[in-house]
Amino acid sequence: MQGEPVQPPVPPWPGGGQPPPVLGHAARSIAKATLVPLKVDGPQRGPGLVAHAYLRRLDLRPEEVPALRAESTAELPWELLAASAADPGDRPLRAALLAAVDGPALRGLGGALEHLRRADGTVEGVARAARAAAANAAYDHNAAVDPIGLMNLERLEMAPAGIERGELVATVPLAPLEETAVTQKEWSVTSKEFSSIVTDSLENVSETGVTDNTELAQSTASQLQHSNQFNVTGTVSGGIPLISGSASSGMTSQSSDSQSATDSRKHATTVTQKASARTKQEHKTTITTTTVTGSSETTTRTLKNASPTDPVRIDYFSMMRKWRVRLYRSGLRLTYDLAIPEPAGALRQSYAELAAIEAQLGPFQFGVPHSDITEEVRPGENQAHYLVLAERYGAAVPLAPGAHPDIHVNVTAPNNDGAGIFDAPPLNVPDRYWIKNLQFQFTSESRTGDYHYNLKVLGSSIPEWNEPYGTHGPVDLADPANGALLAHAGGPCVVSFHLVNNRQTWLSLTAVVEPTDEARRQWQNDVWAALFNAAQTKYYAEQQDLAARAAALRERLNGVDTLTLRREESDEIMKGVLRFLLGVDYHLVPSEVVDAFKASVAADPDRLRHGAGFPGDDTGGLGVSAAAWAAVLGHEAEVAFVNQAIEWENVVTFLYSYFWDVPAAWPFVSRIQHPDANRQAFLRAGSARVVLTVRKGWEEAWVRFAEGGFHGASLPADHPYLTIAREIAAYDDRNYPGIPPANPGSSSLLLEDEVVTTCAAVVEPAAGGAPVLVPVASSAGFDPGTAVVVDEYDDRRIQETARVVRVPDDTHLLLSGLTHRHDGTLTPFPVRRPGQRGTLIAEWNEYTPTSGTDIAVSSPLKDIA
C-alpha cells in the first residue's frame, strides 16, 4: 500500500523501435483479497453475544449457581448468572453486561459445571454434562482466535501486451536441391474440469463469455477452482473468489513492502504461473514431414532448397501471447471472524426427505402367512381377522366357508320277523363339507312274548339294543369311541341297521357337517391370493407415487441455476452467523412482531402462512395497535442494520469437511451428491469459518453490536476491538481516498492508475495554512485540483491529504496548506495521487500459447529457445 512500486526495467525491443502497446481496454480482472488476523493486546474479554450464547448452551439451572459459587474464587457476576438461569429470555441486557466478563473465568465456570454434573451420576446428569462439554468445546474453538482482523481488497488485472516468438516446435532440414512436403496439423484441446465458472456462465457473460478458452484470465479462474476443490483444509466460497492469508500482525505495517503485501504477491504469481502452465499443456502442435524421392507428391506445402551447394533449415516456432499482470490494492475492510456448525443444515432437510422416500423404494414383499388367515377375532379387533386384513389391503375376499344346516333323516323301519337289514335313506352331505357329528336315536314299540327284539347299527362299535320298548339315544355314531361311523364322510352317506323281530321302530339320524380341511385350505389360498394381489397393486401404486415424488424432489434440488444456488448458500451462511452471534434464544422474528402479524390477519389467518400479513389493502388501517407497529418498526430497523453493516455480498466462507459434524450424521452427510460441485461441498461441510467484511463507515457500530451484545450498546473507549475498528476506518480513509467499493464492476477497467512521485527534501507547513511548494522527482500525472496523499501512514501518524493548487514545472507541486512537517532527506517520502484502481503493489508478465506459428530460415542457434 505504501511506497512506490518497483517497476521492472524495460528490455530493448528486438529490431529496435517501440514495443506494442498494452491493450488496456481488453484487460480482464479478478477480485482478490488478503486476510490478515490482528494480534490484540490486553486482557482476554469474550464478546458479549458469544459469551451469552455460551451461557445459554450451558443451560445453567438456578440450583447449580450456589454450588458453583461456593467452589469458585473467580470474579463473576453471580447475580447476573442466577438471574439468567432463572429467566434466560432477557438477551440484550445480559449480553451487554457479559461483554466485560473475563473470558478464562467464564470458561472455568463451564468446566466446573461439567464436573458437577458428572458427579451427579444420574442419567440426566450425564446427559447434561455432555451438553456442557459440547458447549465448552465450542467456546474453546471460537475463543482461540481473535475475531477482529482486516482484509486488504485487491484485484488482479491482466491485459494483452503483444505477441512474441515462443519455443521451437519443429525443424525441417533440406539438403541442396532437396524437395520435401510438409503437413502441419494443429489443435487445441480444452477439458472442462472441476466446477463451472459462475462469473462466466451467469453474471458476466457479455464480458468473459466470448474470450478464448485458453486465455490467462479464464485459466486463472479455473486454476483457482482447482486449488479450492483439492484444498485439504476446506473449500473457499464468497463474493471474492481469490483469497490468500497472511501472518498475524498489528496495525502499524500495511505498506507495499509489508508482510501481507509480500504474501499476496507470492500467492498471485503462483496462481497465474500455474494457470499459464495449464494453458500451455492444453495447447498442442504437431509437425509431420514427408520426404519424396524420385517422385513428386503435393500434400499441404512443398518446400525446396534452390541452392545447389548450401543446406538450409526451416524452423517452426510457436507464437505466445504476452500478458501484463498487475496486482492492485483497492481498499481495506474490518473483518469479523467466526466458525459456525452445519452451515447447510437447513438445506439438508430436503435431502433427508429424499433419502426417506428412496428408502421406501424396493421390491415387493408380502408378509402375511397363510396361518394369519383365520376367522378368529383377535384382541383389539371387532371382526374376523381375515376381514381386518381385507380392509387393510383393500381386497375383496371370499367369505369363510360357514356352518351348514344339519342334515336330518327320519324313517320308520319296516316290520319283520326274524333278522333283516335296513338301509336308511342317504344323508346328502353337500360338496366341500363332511360329517363332523352323526347323532342317532330311535323309538321302538316291539311287542313282548316269544319274540326277542334287538337293533344294531352296522359299522358302529355300539352294542346292539334289545330293549323292546322306549326311546333310546341320542348317541354320536361319528365319535371315535363309537367306531367313528361316517366321520369326515361326504356325499350321499347311508347308515345300515340290523333289526330282529322289529315292530314299529322310528329311526332318526342328524348329521352335523363342517367344511373339509381341503375346503378350508382352498379358502385360505383364495383369501391369501386376493390379499396378495390387492397388496401388490397398492404397493406398486405407492411405489410409482414415491418414485414420482423422488424424481420431482430430485429435479427441484438439482434443476436450479447456479446463481440461485449461490444466493441460497449465502442466505444460509447469513442465518447461521446471526444465530451464532445472537444466541440460541434469539428469534429472527421476535414473538411480539409475530403477534403483530397475527393481529393484522385476524379475519383471515390463512394469509399468515402465505406471507401476506401486511398486504397493503384498502381496509382502512393495518389492524394493529401503535405499540405492536412500533415493535415491527424496531425489528425492521435491526434487520436493516444487520444487512447494511456487513458486506454480505463479499463474505468469505471456508468450508470444512463432514467429520466436523456430529458423528451420527457422517454416513449421510458424506454421501450427499449434487451436480454443482460448489453446492455439493457446501452440503457436505460439517463446519464453516466465516469472515465477515464490515461495510466502510460501519466499523464502530458493528463492534458495538457484536461485542456489546445489542445494537447501540455502549462500550468503554479503551475496548481493544473498538480501538481497532476506529484505527482501520481511519487507515482506510487515509490510504484509499476516492477508490470505488469492493469488487468494482467491469467499468473499473478504464479507470485511472495511481500516480506516485517522491520528495527528498524537508517540507515545513506554511503559516496560516498557506500553500506549500514541494520539490518532487516528477510532477507528471498531477493536475491542479486533484487530491494527493503525502507521506506514509506509520507510527509517526503524519500522513495527510492535500490538494494540488498548481503545477509550476516538472519537478515541483504547489500543495494546499499542510499540517505536519515532512522530512525526506534520509528516506524520500511519497506523494501519490490515488487511482481508482487502487495502489499497484506488483507487476509481472505471463505468457500463454496462441494458434499462430512463426517460420524462420536457418535461425542462429543462440537465438532459439
Side-chain angles (χ1 to χ4, degrees):
M1 267 187 249
Q2 297 291 332
E4 182 177 0
V6 178
Q7 303 291 343
V10 180
W13 188 254
Q18 297 294 324
V22 177
L23 302 180
H25 63 280
R28 285 81 163 167
S29 66
I30 296 178
K32 186 181 182 300
T34 301
L35 289 175
V36 183
L38 294 180
K39 297 178 180 178
V40 180
D41 299 328
Q44 180 183 1
R45 289 185 293 181
L49 287 175
V50 175
H52 184 262
Y54 172 53
L55 191 61
R56 293 289 292 122
R57 288 188 179 95
L58 289 176
D59 190 20
L60 191 63
R61 291 185 175 178
E63 63 271 14
E64 295 172 331
V65 176
L68 294 172
R69 187 172 188 175
E71 297 180 2
S72 176
T73 59
E75 292 294 333
L76 288 171
W78 294 105
E79 291 75 12
L80 177 65
L81 295 178
S84 179
D87 180 15
D90 192 2
R91 179 190 61 81
L93 174 62
R94 290 170 186 153
L97 295 176
L98 285 172
V101 174
D102 182 63
L106 189 62
R107 177 59 179 84
L109 173 71
L113 181 62
E114 179 183 352
H115 179 73
L116 178 66
R117 290 174 176 175
R118 291 194 186 279
D120 181 11
T122 63
V123 175
E124 182 184 5
V126 173
R128 290 176 56 77
R131 182 172 181 177
N136 292 334
Y139 184 81
D140 292 340
H141 176 77
N142 289 284
V145 179
D146 289 318
I148 295 293
L150 57 88
M151 177 183 289
N152 290 290
L153 302 178
E154 300 164 351
R155 187 172 63 256
L156 269 175
E157 187 175 283
M158 292 158 282
I163 302 294
E164 295 185 8
R165 176 184 292 179
E167 60 183 334
L168 179 68
V169 175
T171 295
V172 181
L174 294 175
L177 299 178
E178 182 180 3
E179 182 176 323
T180 185
V182 177
T183 301
Q184 177 177 337
K185 181 185 294 184
E186 182 175 341
W187 71 92
S188 178
V189 178
T190 300
S191 59
K192 192 172 185 180
E193 300 180 4
F194 317 109
S195 56
S196 301
I197 302 174
V198 177
T199 56
D200 179 53
S201 61
L202 291 172
E203 298 174 4
N204 292 327
V205 174
S206 61
E207 180 179 347
T208 63
V210 296
T211 57
D212 292 341
N213 55 14
T214 58
E215 68 164 13
L216 185 60
Q218 290 290 81
S219 189
T220 300
S222 180
Q223 172 64 29
L224 166 68
Q225 293 187 353
H226 173 93
S227 302
N228 287 346
Q229 291 291 336
F230 288 92
N231 187 353
V232 176
T233 60
T235 301
V236 184
S237 64
I240 304 176
L242 202 58
I243 303 293
S244 61
S246 183
S248 299
S249 68
M251 282 297 301
T252 59
S253 177
Q254 279 292 312
S255 61
S256 61
D257 58 349
S258 67
Q259 182 63 41
S260 64
T262 302
D263 294 340
S264 181
R265 284 194 293 266
K266 289 181 179 179
H267 179 259
T269 54
T270 300
V271 170
T272 57
Q273 286 172 0
K274 289 182 178 180
S276 177
R278 290 185 65 195
T279 60
K280 293 177 184 177
Q281 184 179 5
E282 291 170 349
H283 191 93
K284 302 178 180 65
T285 302
T286 62
I287 300 294
T288 303
T289 62
T290 302
T291 302
V292 178
T293 303
S295 62
S296 175
E297 179 181 357
T298 302
T299 54
T300 302
R301 180 179 300 165
T302 301
L303 302 179
K304 181 178 180 180
N305 183 4
S307 173
T309 57
D310 299 326
V312 297
R313 188 182 73 250
I314 309 300
D315 298 325
Y316 288 81
F317 297 90
S318 64
M319 298 181 69
M320 307 293 291
R321 175 181 289 140
K322 180 180 178 181
W323 295 84
R324 185 198 67 187
V325 185
R326 286 182 171 181
L327 178 60
Y328 293 92
R329 277 194 169 170
S330 58
L332 192 68
R333 293 293 184 270
L334 173 74
T335 64
Y336 199 88
D337 204 331
L338 70 158
I340 60 175
E342 292 186 340
L347 297 179
R348 291 176 186 168
Q349 293 180 358
S350 296
Y351 288 87
E353 180 184 352
L354 178 61
I357 294 175
E358 291 180 338
Q360 301 177 55
L361 297 175
F364 172 69
Q365 295 180 350
F366 190 58
V368 177
H370 283 72
S371 59
D372 243 11
I373 301 174
T374 176
E375 299 174 73
E376 67 175 337
V377 179
R378 295 185 174 181
E381 299 175 353
N382 55 8
Q383 58 182 337
H385 185 63
Y386 81 97
L387 295 177
V388 174
L389 295 176
E391 291 183 357
R392 180 182 304 170
Y393 296 107
V397 298
L399 294 177
H404 191 279
D406 296 344
I407 303 172
H408 301 279
V409 171
N410 296 309
V411 65
T412 301
N415 298 327
N416 67 301
D417 294 328
I421 303 297
F422 171 67
D423 294 332
L427 296 163
N428 293 312
V429 179
D431 193 22
R432 302 181 66 181
Y433 283 83
W434 60 22
I435 294 176
K436 178 182 179 183
N437 303 105
L438 183 57
Q439 302 293 336
F440 168 64
Q441 64 181 358
F442 70 94
T443 301
S444 176
E445 295 182 356
S446 295
R447 64 180 182 273
T448 59
D450 298 334
Y451 298 95
H452 177 74
Y453 165 81
N454 61 40
L455 180 148
K456 181 175 179 57
V457 181
L458 298 180
S460 171
S461 61
I462 301 175
E464 63 183 5
W465 282 277
N466 53 18
E467 295 84 357
Y469 297 102
T471 300
H472 306 276
V475 61
D476 186 5
L477 300 179
D479 191 327
N482 297 326
L485 178 65
L486 296 180
H488 291 176
C493 298
V494 177
V495 179
S496 299
F497 300 92
H498 182 266
L499 296 171
V500 177
N501 299 326
N502 177 54
R503 293 292 185 273
Q504 299 298 321
T505 300
W506 294 273
L507 305 175
S508 175
L509 293 170
T510 301
V512 179
V513 298
E514 66 177 0
T516 65
D517 289 346
E518 179 62 28
R520 185 164 293 279
R521 284 194 297 269
Q522 184 61 44
W523 168 76
Q524 285 183 322
N525 289 337
D526 293 342
V527 172
W528 189 90
L531 293 176
F532 179 89
N533 292 333
Q536 187 179 54
T537 301
K538 181 180 179 181
Y539 179 81
Y540 284 145
E542 292 175 349
Q543 290 282 291
Q544 187 175 5
D545 179 64
L546 290 172
R549 287 171 54 194
L553 183 55
R554 195 179 298 107
E555 174 64 24
R556 181 165 61 85
L557 294 174
N558 297 340
V560 183
D561 63 273
T562 310
L563 186 57
T564 301
L565 293 177
R566 301 293 85 81
R567 286 174 175 170
E568 289 178 352
E569 294 159 8
S570 177
D571 290 343
E572 292 304 312
I573 289 294
M574 181 178 182
K575 183 172 65 176
V577 166
L578 292 176
R579 285 182 172 174
F580 176 83
L581 281 179
L582 305 179
V584 295
D585 58 331
Y586 178 81
H587 298 284
L588 295 176
V589 182
S591 58
E592 58 270 20
V593 177
V594 175
D595 292 340
F597 275 77
K598 290 181 178 179
S600 69
V601 296
D604 186 8
D606 288 340
R607 293 197 321 193
L608 196 64
R609 293 196 299 268
H610 300 89
F614 295 105
D617 52 16
D618 297 329
T619 58
L622 293 173
V624 297
S625 64
W629 185 240
V632 174
L633 293 180
H635 171 66
E636 294 302 321
E638 186 173 342
V639 171
F641 170 79
V642 171
N643 281 273
Q644 294 174 18
I646 298 297
E647 292 179 340
W648 293 103
E649 67 277 10
N650 294 326
V651 168
V652 179
T653 304
F654 298 85
L655 302 176
Y656 298 140
S657 299
Y658 70 92
F659 48 76
W660 296 111
D661 205 338
V662 180
W666 291 1
F668 172 74
V669 172
S670 62
R671 290 177 173 83
I672 295 179
Q673 294 184 349
H674 194 280
D676 183 273
N678 289 335
R679 171 53 69 90
Q680 179 170 295
F682 188 78
L683 291 169
R684 292 184 177 184
S687 182
R689 174 191 173 192
V690 183
V691 181
L692 307 178
T693 53
V694 181
R695 198 174 303 278
K696 184 176 177 63
W698 294 75
E699 294 86 358
E700 183 175 341
W702 173 258
V703 170
R704 291 187 182 277
F705 177 81
E707 298 293 313
F710 193 70
H711 186 203
S714 61
L715 288 176
D718 62 347
H719 189 284
Y721 291 155
L722 189 62
T723 304
I724 290 176
R726 292 170 177 169
E727 189 81 0
I728 292 178
Y731 196 92
D732 190 26
D733 288 337
R734 296 188 182 188
N735 281 272
Y736 302 103
I739 63 171
N743 292 339
S746 59
S747 60
S748 65
L749 302 178
L750 304 179
L751 300 179
E752 295 179 342
D753 283 327
E754 179 186 51
V755 178
V756 182
T757 188
T758 58
C759 175
V762 176
V763 178
E764 299 284 354
V772 178
L773 188 64
V774 180
V776 294
S778 173
S779 62
F782 291 89
D783 300 319
T786 59
V788 296
V789 179
V790 181
D791 216 329
E792 302 278 5
Y793 185 79
D794 51 24
D795 294 338
R796 300 173 298 163
R797 308 293 175 91
I798 61 173
Q799 186 188 68
E800 57 184 315
T801 301
R803 189 167 296 279
V804 178
V805 178
R806 185 165 54 87
V807 183
D809 52 42
D810 294 341
T811 58
H812 288 84
L813 293 174
L814 185 64
L815 302 182
S816 61
L818 298 177
T819 304
H820 303 285
R821 179 179 183 270
H822 303 275
D823 187 355
T825 56
L826 296 179
T827 301
F829 62 84
V831 178
R832 64 180 76 240
R833 187 204 70 190
Q836 290 180 304
R837 291 184 178 184
T839 300
L840 180 67
I841 63 173
E843 181 176 345
W844 65 96
N845 293 326
E846 296 289 357
Y847 295 88
T848 60
T850 69
S851 58
T853 303
D854 191 19
I855 301 178
V857 178
S858 300
S859 304
L861 296 180
K862 62 183 181 64
D863 297 335
I864 297 177

